[in-house]
Amino acid sequence: MSDDPTGGGGGASSMVPGPKQQVLQVEDSNLSVNQGDPSTGIDKKKTAAATLDETSPSSAESFEMLDGLDLSESIYEPVQPHWFYCRRTNEKDWLPFSHEDSLKLEDALKNLKKEEESVVAVEGGRYDVRLTERLRYAVYWDQAPSEVRRCTWFFKGNEDPRYMPYPESFSERLEDAYMIAVTLGEWKRKLEFPTGETVILHNPKLIMQYQPIMLQDDWVSSPSEQGRPRTVKRGIENIAVDIPEGEPQTVDHLVFMVHGIGPACDLRFRSIIQCVNDFRSAALSLLSSHCRSAREEGRVGRVEFLPVDWHSALHGDATGVDESIQRITLPSISRLRHFTNDTLLDLFFYNSPTYCQTILDTVVTEVNRLHSLFRCRHPDFKGQVSLVGHSLGSLILFDLLTNQKTGSEDLGNEMKNSFGDLSTPKKENLEDALSRLGLQKYIPILQKEEMDLDSLSLCTETELEKVGIPLGPRKKILDLVSRRQILKDHKARMAAMLPPEDLADHNDASAAHRQSFLRTYSTTSAVDYKYFDVGIGQVSIHYPQLSFHPHSFFAFGSPIGMFLTVRGLKRIDPDYNFPTCKAFFNIYHPFDPVAYRIEPMIVPEADLEPMLIPHHKGRKRMHLELRESLTRMGVDLRNNVLGSLRTAWQSFARIPVAALPSVEEAVCAGVVMETSETRETEGTEESDVTEEKDLKIGMLNGGRRIDYVLQEAPIESFNEYLFAIQSHLCYWESEDTALLLLKEIYEKHGIAFEQSAS
């Protein structure tokens, strides 16, 4: 009596006499093949079909897979691997790297020597993969490491939305069994794993996995999937998966994006990191579709967007503000109060003398840190840097840019007095640095890891936590590292700016000057609220300095105009501009309840409509065109009816002609009326194409227009109140907004944007 191929009954053997099904007993590290007694004279297709009828969920489908398949003449070819990383949401979600990144990882693995670690930069240099650990680390922000996997075999249950990769060791065993089956030309093989899983290789196109009913593991998507067969596929070319496009190596421009109130940036409660990822992807796609020729010629690379998070520092343990607020918070409606404390209070914090300073210090320190780190990882970068602020983040940047100092002689003297010895900087070892912070007890821990100050500067907060350093000391160490890097960058920049003779004299500056410079990044002082006679009114605090001069400043959904008015500023001097940034764009959605205009504060006498941002496909949205056409049609119809009525009145009422205007006069009057009534519509349409050359809107944007309005989507036009909150959070996924930024960035490079083909 022959063995049942599935271990559940003798159906197949009772129907067709033939060979016993070959069983591969999979042990911990190798495969052993147990074959039954061979028999001859049996049609292999019939035998396979009978076996499939017992083990496959669909016999008809199995016959189709076997039809025309010669199992005896297959040639084994090694499977082509592709690398994936795990993104944890509610459950594990495996996403593929781009083809370029996957090849980089595969090449690095081939060249990896034993007991060595290889670090591979992926996803535009924003992440590093440590091959030995099989972990992916974020470079610019704090994020838990994610698992990385070299994938060759995949599975999918009936209720799984997509194919998932097997662990590497499991895939290797499947590949070994597949190689044996192909080489020998013998299928219907049953693999039994020590954990209880069973995989049956019916033929190259039909491979199934069966789970023990009571087995619990991470692979099962839901309890209902237990015991059901899963489809198994070999190689990424046999599954449906969206592989992202690789990013160009050359970075043309760097943009820092500062968030608004609260930890969440959209209606899906995603972080600033996730939202910036979406904006970066949209920009990359737009460059591909609108700059094909320039890309093919190598004149366009990409724009890098990096998130700047200040909310975590404000609400972290260092300030203690959350604990203080919690003590006075009422216990009722706890969820609403928690939302208020975590989100809306940020507005009050920014108007607080103490916490306004904390927020500004955090933003500038983080921007300078990211800028320095980016330059280290991209030493060939020769582009410029721009800033984007959303909601309250735009006000923070506006106040900051108002108080920047230029690269003039005055700034040079201040920088000279702010540094110590530039040519021979004082060397400080790990012990001295930690002792100065009162962290002597942690010196042995770091020495055990063979760390010095240079290696410490490469550590993330997660890594410091792993070696056993508590939260408070971790923050102090990270602050030390950030300060040292800022000082180092400014010293190098100052050394390049000063002539040799000034640099020699400069070496006599005291250490107190160094501390004075660093204090600009951490000073918290009492605030005296003052308003400037001319310029931008704001709270008078100590404003830290950026380590670069921004190319442009883009404000999304910004309350800048409202805050300036509340501060007592009624008008912005037309001659005013930011000291270090010459371009400013105020971008908003027409239904955004937080957004306010800027241009009426500069030229209050001019009744200007905002510039209409073109649709990224090169046209006005259809419902807006229809609305304007109907408006013009209504005006024309009204004028024609008016002319007809006047003519009829003259004919039938027999009133002297002089008492009423003639038809020609009525038509002329209608033309005048039409011109007056449609001026607003036509003005909006005209501003969509060209700017008004004769009108200069101050110097905040070099005389160009400042206010730019998005076109609402068709569904949004039905009820503007319903979509008000969504409109304030729409900018992160707005392709129209991204295209406006890209055009401004590449305008000075002479790059012409093409019409999208889609």
Side-chain angles (χ1 to χ4, degrees):
M1 183 174 179
S2 60
D3 295 336
D4 174 63
T6 62
S13 57
S14 62
M15 291 173 59
V16 180
K20 295 181 180 179
Q21 188 172 33
Q22 300 168 359
V23 181
L24 301 181
Q25 299 289 345
V26 181
E27 299 176 359
D28 289 341
S29 59
N30 42 45
L31 293 166
S32 60
V33 182
N34 300 327
Q35 298 184 350
D37 296 332
S39 62
T40 58
I42 303 297
D43 188 295
K44 289 187 176 181
K45 285 191 177 181
K46 291 182 179 179
T47 307
T51 305
L52 286 170
D53 188 55
E54 192 69 22
T55 60
S56 172
S58 173
S59 298
E61 180 183 350
S62 304
F63 277 116
E64 292 177 2
M65 290 184 177
L66 282 171
D67 189 27
L69 186 65
D70 189 350
L71 304 179
S72 61
E73 297 182 0
S74 300
I75 300 176
Y76 172 76
E77 294 182 359
V79 64
Q80 296 299 317
H82 195 94
W83 290 74
F84 282 64
Y85 65 92
C86 181
R87 182 182 65 186
R88 286 187 177 272
T89 49
N90 295 332
E91 58 187 30
K92 284 188 175 181
D93 188 12
W94 287 92
L95 302 176
F97 286 104
S98 67
H99 285 296
E100 292 82 355
D101 285 344
S102 183
L103 289 174
K104 285 168 60 178
L105 292 168
E106 190 67 19
D107 291 341
L109 182 65
K110 292 177 181 177
N111 299 323
L112 183 64
K113 298 180 181 179
K114 290 185 178 180
E115 300 181 357
E116 286 188 4
E117 180 60 276
S118 177
V119 179
V120 180
V122 295
E123 299 180 65
R126 296 181 297 276
Y127 289 89
D128 283 339
V129 171
R130 300 183 183 179
L131 283 178
T132 302
E133 300 179 12
R134 289 295 199 272
L135 291 176
R136 165 181 167 266
Y137 292 87
V139 172
Y140 296 104
W141 51 81
D142 288 334
Q143 181 178 329
S146 54
E147 184 183 352
V148 169
R149 188 174 289 179
R150 182 178 183 266
C151 304
T152 53
W153 287 78
F154 306 84
F155 69 90
K156 186 174 82 70
N158 291 337
E159 297 181 5
D160 290 334
R162 64 179 65 90
Y163 279 92
M164 304 287 286
Y166 281 114
E168 292 185 35
S169 58
F170 197 97
S171 295
E172 290 173 1
R173 296 166 185 172
L174 287 175
E175 184 66 16
D176 289 341
Y178 180 86
M179 179 183 65
I180 293 173
V182 172
T183 303
L184 299 180
E186 298 176 353
W187 295 89
K188 306 181 300 297
R189 291 177 173 269
K190 182 177 180 180
L191 274 69
E192 295 178 347
F193 288 80
T195 51
E197 295 94 346
T198 300
V199 176
I200 300 179
L201 288 80
H202 298 293
N203 62 68
K205 294 186 177 180
L206 181 62
I207 303 173
M208 305 297 295
Q209 178 199 349
Y210 297 86
Q211 289 269 114
I213 294 179
M214 298 306 296
L215 182 64
Q216 297 283 348
D217 64 32
D218 292 338
W219 300 348
V220 179
S221 300
S222 63
S224 63
E225 285 291 298
Q226 296 182 6
R228 295 185 180 181
R230 297 176 181 165
T231 303
V232 180
K233 295 292 184 181
R234 176 179 181 264
I236 194 173
E237 65 275 6
N238 292 317
I239 65 173
V241 60
D242 292 328
I243 301 178
E245 293 185 11
E247 300 182 23
Q249 295 294 322
T250 303
V251 179
D252 301 323
H253 203 91
L254 174 62
V255 180
F256 295 113
M257 310 190 83
V258 181
H259 66 84
I261 62 173
C265 294
D266 66 0
L267 289 178
R268 287 178 280 173
F269 296 97
R270 296 185 304 164
S271 67
I272 179 66
I273 297 172
Q274 295 169 303
C275 290
V276 172
N277 286 344
D278 275 357
F279 197 89
R280 184 190 305 111
S281 298
L284 194 63
S285 176
L286 288 169
L287 284 177
S288 298
S289 60
H290 287 72
C291 298
R292 292 189 207 89
S293 301
R295 269 204 152 176
E296 293 172 357
E297 296 168 2
R299 295 188 294 129
V300 168
R302 65 183 175 93
V303 177
E304 181 61 276
F305 296 87
L306 295 179
V308 178
D309 177 23
W310 55 265
H311 182 272
S312 301
L314 176 65
H315 293 266
D317 297 336
T319 63
V321 63
D322 282 4
E323 184 179 351
S324 300
I325 292 293
Q326 189 59 40
R327 284 198 297 266
I328 61 175
T329 301
L330 301 182
S332 59
I333 52 172
S334 57
R335 292 185 179 179
L336 180 57
R337 294 186 190 278
H338 174 74
F339 172 80
T340 301
N341 292 347
D342 206 31
T343 304
L344 299 181
L345 284 188
D346 288 347
L347 291 171
F348 298 99
F349 286 141
Y350 189 67
N351 286 283
S352 155
T354 299
Y355 296 112
C356 177
Q357 186 73 62
T358 301
I359 292 172
L360 284 167
D361 289 344
T362 302
V363 169
V364 173
T365 301
E366 182 67 3
V367 168
N368 286 341
R369 181 189 71 84
L370 291 172
H371 181 248
S372 174
L373 183 56
F374 177 85
R375 297 299 295 260
C376 290
R377 294 179 67 89
H378 298 268
D380 297 329
F381 176 71
K382 296 180 175 60
Q384 294 180 296
V385 185
S386 291
L387 299 172
V388 168
H390 174 243
S391 191
L392 181 61
S394 65
L395 179 65
I396 295 171
L397 292 177
F398 189 89
D399 289 345
L400 188 65
L401 291 175
T402 300
N403 289 273
Q404 294 298 291
K405 297 179 180 179
T406 64
S408 63
E409 182 179 354
D410 292 338
L411 179 60
N413 292 333
E414 178 183 337
M415 294 177 69
K416 288 174 67 173
N417 293 330
S418 299
F419 293 107
D421 187 350
L422 290 176
S423 58
T424 56
K426 178 183 176 182
K427 288 290 183 180
E428 186 179 35
N429 57 31
L430 181 67
E431 293 80 0
D432 294 339
L434 293 184
S435 298
R436 183 161 48 82
L437 297 175
L439 303 177
Q440 301 91 325
K441 60 186 292 186
Y442 301 106
I443 294 176
I445 296 178
L446 297 177
Q447 288 177 336
K448 182 180 178 182
E449 302 294 331
E450 300 183 359
M451 283 193 183
D452 56 15
L453 277 178
D454 291 333
S455 58
L456 185 64
S457 65
L458 301 175
C459 291
T460 64
E461 184 173 0
T462 303
E463 292 169 332
L464 292 176
E465 182 181 9
K466 280 186 176 180
V467 299
I469 298 179
L471 177 62
R474 283 203 311 270
K475 294 295 184 182
K476 290 183 178 180
I477 292 175
L478 291 173
D479 183 62
L480 167 70
V481 169
S482 176
R483 289 165 179 260
R484 283 175 56 86
Q485 189 61 50
I486 291 171
L487 184 59
K488 179 180 177 182
D489 292 344
H490 277 274
K491 283 182 176 181
R493 192 174 296 106
M494 192 63 209
M497 290 171 59
L498 293 177
E501 58 273 14
D502 289 350
L503 187 60
D505 296 337
H506 189 59
N507 292 337
D508 297 330
S510 65
H513 291 149
R514 272 203 310 273
Q515 295 301 321
S516 173
F517 170 76
L518 289 176
R519 201 173 296 121
T520 65
Y521 293 90
S522 61
T523 299
T524 300
S525 59
V527 177
D528 180 19
Y529 285 87
K530 296 180 181 178
Y531 302 100
F532 296 96
D533 294 331
V534 177
I536 308 302
Q538 62 208 62
V539 294
S540 176
I541 60 174
H542 192 92
Y543 284 88
Q545 300 296 298
L546 294 169
S547 60
F548 56 89
H549 289 182
H551 171 271
S552 301
F553 167 38
F554 302 91
F556 294 171
S558 174
I560 291 173
M562 180 270 291
F563 268 84
L564 297 182
T565 303
V566 170
R567 289 172 180 174
L569 189 72
K570 296 182 179 180
R571 186 170 183 264
I572 299 175
D573 193 314
D575 294 330
Y576 178 80
N577 64 340
F578 297 127
T580 61
C581 180
K582 304 308 178 187
F584 172 46
F585 296 84
N586 183 39
I587 301 169
Y588 60 91
H589 190 285
F591 303 156
D592 188 339
V594 180
Y596 290 82
R597 294 193 61 185
I598 295 294
E599 290 176 348
M601 297 188 70
I602 303 174
V603 283
E605 66 281 358
D607 185 14
L608 289 175
E609 289 294 320
M611 292 290 293
L612 189 65
I613 300 176
H615 193 274
H616 65 279
K617 292 184 179 179
R619 55 172 173 77
K620 188 177 291 185
R621 289 184 183 270
M622 186 176 298
H623 70 286
L624 295 179
E625 294 178 348
L626 180 60
R627 180 193 302 170
E628 293 178 3
S629 298
L630 291 175
T631 301
R632 286 194 294 268
M633 187 185 302
V635 172
D636 293 341
L637 181 61
R638 181 172 55 187
N639 292 334
N640 291 335
V641 170
L642 178 62
S644 300
L645 287 176
R646 289 181 183 275
T647 303
W649 184 262
Q650 291 175 5
S651 301
F652 295 104
R654 299 183 182 280
I655 296 178
V657 176
L660 285 176
S662 64
V663 177
E664 290 78 7
E665 291 174 336
V667 172
C668 291
V671 171
V672 173
M673 183 182 301
E674 177 183 356
T675 303
S676 174
E677 293 178 345
T678 61
R679 183 178 296 126
E680 180 178 348
T681 303
E682 292 178 351
T684 303
E685 184 177 2
E686 182 180 352
S687 68
D688 197 14
V689 183
T690 122
E691 297 186 13
E692 298 182 31
K693 303 291 185 181
D694 297 334
L695 186 61
K696 204 170 185 180
I697 314 295
M699 295 306 297
L700 264 178
N701 197 20
R704 298 181 295 168
R705 297 296 300 273
I706 296 173
D707 292 336
Y708 287 77
V709 62
L710 291 166
Q711 303 178 42
E712 73 269 18
I715 191 174
E716 294 173 340
S717 62
F718 286 108
N719 191 323
E720 57 191 50
Y721 292 96
L722 185 63
F723 293 95
I725 296 179
Q726 177 180 322
S727 67
H728 182 59
L729 306 172
C730 72
Y731 307 97
W732 305 110
E733 297 178 336
S734 170
E735 292 174 295
D736 298 350
T737 303
L739 185 59
L740 177 64
L741 264 69
L742 294 175
K743 287 182 176 179
E744 172 62 21
I745 287 171
Y746 282 100
E747 179 184 20
K748 292 181 174 59
H749 296 275
I751 303 298
F753 278 68
E754 307 161 6
Q755 180 71 32
S756 175
S758 57

